[in-house]
Amino acid sequence: MDTGSPGVRGLVLFVGLGFAPSAMALDAGAAESLMKKSGCFKCHSVDKKKEGPPYKETAAKLKGKPDAEKKLYTHLTTNPKVKVDGKEEEHDSLKTKNEADIQNVIQWILSR
């Protein structure tokens, strides 16, 4: 294999940053538990609009996009500003720094 090719280097970088494409098995119970602990379900549900968009809508919006996991990772870990009822507020991060747990939540959201 030619590891000097741009595609391989990009994949190595992608995996090296912790965004391995769906390499791990989804643990739905653990994802939901962490999301509950983090308060995600106060503003989001699987299929109904609350203060935030439903996870099915988020998954559909990101489906097939090569940067879907990276976008969710950033959203779930960096406290971005979001609009709620016309006002900007800080989105809470997941209550973990464990990369595997974060990736599990990302896979859970994308699988909706």
Side-chain angles (χ1 to χ4, degrees), residues 18-91:
F19 303 110
S22 306
M24 60 186 257
L26 173 64
D27 182 344
E32 291 170 11
S33 177
L34 176 57
M35 293 169 77
K36 185 174 183 178
K37 175 182 161 188
S38 300
C40 301
F41 295 116
K42 291 178 186 172
C43 299
H44 301 276
S45 77
V46 172
D47 56 4
K48 294 188 178 25
K49 173 87 170 112
K50 289 177 127 182
E51 287 184 39
Y55 292 115
K56 281 188 176 187
E57 182 180 309
T58 300
K61 181 176 144 184
L62 295 172
K63 186 176 182 166
K65 296 197 175 179
D67 62 345
E69 291 181 17
K70 185 174 189 251
K71 281 186 177 195
L72 278 175
Y73 184 91
T74 299
H75 188 77
L76 295 171
T77 61
T78 64
N79 300 93
K81 297 285 184 191
V82 294
K83 287 207 182 228
V84 177
D85 295 329
K87 296 182 283 184
E88 249 190 20
E89 61 182 57
E90 194 173 87
H91 187 275

Side-chain angles (χ1 to χ4, degrees), residues 85-104:
D85 295 329
K87 296 182 283 184
E88 249 190 20
E89 61 182 57
E90 194 173 87
H91 187 275
D92 289 338
S93 290
L94 289 174
K95 301 222 181 303
T96 187
K97 299 292 183 201
N98 181 298
E99 292 296 321
D101 291 343
I102 295 167
Q103 290 300 319
N104 190 49

